[in-house]
Structure formats: structure tokens, C-alpha cells
Amino acid sequence: MDQPLPENLAQTLDAPCAPAPGRVCHSHWMGHLPFAFWLIRILRPRLLVELGAYQGASFCAFCQEAARLGLDCEAYAIDTWQGDANMGSYPDSVYEDLADYIKNHYQNFACLIRSPFDQAVSQFEDGSIDLLHIDGFHGREAILADFATWLPKMSPCGVVLLHDIRARLPGYGGVAAWQEISARFPSFAFNHGYGLGVVLTGNSAPEPLQTLCALDEHQAARFRCRFQGQAAIYDALFGLEERRLRELAAAGRAAEELRQELAAERERAASERAAAAGEKATLQDALLQASLKAQAYEGSVSWKITAPLRKFARFLRS
């Protein structure tokens, strides 16, 4: 028999459905955005840091809910925005697009730091970070190193999110890293969207989060089901956005082809006008030359000598 969720946790799910994400982009995080909104409402972080932002799907969701709630919050996304062995390399336009979005929507409290994780850590005080999202290079050693490096920075109510803990892909070590980390701290795991792990690193996390990490198997499945249902809607939103972008790109290509065709037609018309003008000028010049020749001949001696003959010819014709 399914066990109902504890009351202090169930009440947190009575809020309206998660809002539509302000930023929709290519990311396996799309299916976790409903939980991201819920987590911000429960944790109400004063300082949140994301390691590995890429196009900013998760970071912008955190910022969106923090802004909606009017939280006194600082948010930092840290990344080189150059890619890695898992993601491959990507152009500067990825960073520039996200930076432009943050500037237009969350400039008053959110900031992008273009830096390796281990170099940026010194910018934060120990015990200051309430929410840390680790989503950088996904090798086991890299995940464990990021976790260990940033752990001293976590506040007493600190929560760490680890993405891709269910991704069994070449070069990914999230499964093994999660087994080690979750054995040491109160934790909860989602299985969809390549998996998302929730870790309580302090002893003063909000009560609903402590309850979440203590659920039995049946209750945990019930909680996951609630967010997986919403995740399907968000994944569908991403599908629609991808379709919109494809159609927009196709329309752009068609418009460019039409522009090129019109430019070529204008060029052909201009060429034909130029050719016609050249022919007209040639004919006018030939006519002028013929007229000059006629005038010159009429004034010549031979024309005058043969004038009686032409007069007699006209008399015979008449």
C-alpha cells in the first residue's frame, strides 16, 4: 500500500503548479525545473552558486523563482564556457547569449563568473553558500573533487545538487560518485532526466528537506512521481521550443533565399537596362553619323553636278 507523504512535506506541494520557465533551451535539466522552483521556495537561499551553467536552463530557473519571491539573494554561475570532454567545445555565442539574458532579467542579483571552478572558490567565504549545484565535468574524480573543494563553503542549511547521477554514458562517473556522496550525507535522488541528487551538507536544512531525505521507498516514489509528471510537461515545452526554433530558422533561410533571388533579379534588370541604353546610344550615334554623311554628300561637287539629272528623272516620273 502506498504510504502518504508526511504532512510537513505534503503541505509544500499544495502550492500552484510550477510556473512556465522563462528560459527554455537545450538541456536535460528541463525535466528538473519544477523541482528547482519548489526547492527555491523551501530553501529561500541567500547565496546560490552553480558550477557548470552551459546555456543556463537551471541557473535561470533558480533566478526566476528567487526574483518572483523577492528573495534577498545573490546568484553566481561559474563556467569557462569553453566546453569539456563530455560536452565538446562550443562557441563564445553560448556565453554571450546567456550573459545577455542575465543582464536583461536578473542583473541586480545574478552574475556570471568565467573561470575554472577551483580558481573561483576563493571568491566565496566558508559557510556562506546555501545552494550549490554541481554540473561540470562528469568524471567520477572530477565530481568528487568539486564536491570536496566546495564543501567548506556550504552554510549550516546548505544543499548540494548533483546532476547526471543516473547517466550511464562513456566518460560519465556520476553513478559511482553519487554512491559515495549519498552514503555520507542525508540525500534524495530523482531518476528522470539523467538523474538529480539532493544532498544536505549541513544540520540546519529546512524541515521539509530533512523529511524528504528520510522518506521510505514508497513515499520517495510518491514524491518522485509528483515531479516526474510535471517534468513531462516541461520536456514537452522544450520540444515545442525546439520546433519553434527550427521553423524560425527555416523561415530565416527562406527569407534569405528570397532576398538573394530579388537581388539577382534586380541585378539582371539593371544589366538589361544598361544593355538597352547601350544599344540606344549606338543607334543614335549611327543615325548621327549617317545624317552627317548625307549632309556632307549634299554639299559636295558631285551632288551639285548631278542635280539636273535628278530633276529630269523627276520630270519623267511625273
Side-chain angles (χ1 to χ4, degrees), residues 17-122:
C17 293
R23 183 171 175 82
V24 179
C25 53
H26 175 65
S27 175
H28 294 295
W29 239 95
M30 287 301 300
H32 296 299
L33 295 190
F35 177 74
F37 292 130
W38 179 87
L39 179 61
I40 295 298
R41 290 198 300 271
I42 299 302
L43 184 60
R44 305 181 74 85
R46 295 160 299 174
L47 175 60
L48 69 88
V49 176
E50 178 166 277
L51 307 181
Y54 188 39
Q55 297 187 66
S58 52
F59 184 68
C60 290
F62 297 143
C63 292
Q64 178 180 338
E65 189 64 7
R68 189 188 71 82
L69 295 172
L71 300 183
D72 182 13
C73 175
E74 295 180 25
Y76 298 88
I78 303 171
D79 203 321
T80 62
W81 281 280
Q82 294 178 346
D84 54 36
N86 293 143
M87 295 292 296
S89 61
Y90 36 85
D92 281 345
S93 59
V94 173
Y95 168 79
E96 292 164 358
D97 179 69
L98 177 57
D100 185 63
Y101 186 88
I102 293 298
K103 179 180 179 181
N104 291 331
H105 293 82
Y106 310 118
Q107 185 178 18
N108 60 327
F109 71 93
C111 178
L112 305 184
I113 300 177
R114 201 164 190 180
S115 166
F117 304 157
D118 57 356
Q119 294 181 19
V121 68
S122 61

Side-chain angles (χ1 to χ4, degrees), residues 131-148:
L131 176 60
L132 176 69
H133 173 216
I134 299 177
D135 196 14
F137 183 62
H138 290 87
R140 171 184 169 276
E141 293 76 11
I143 296 171
L144 293 176
D146 289 339
F147 186 85

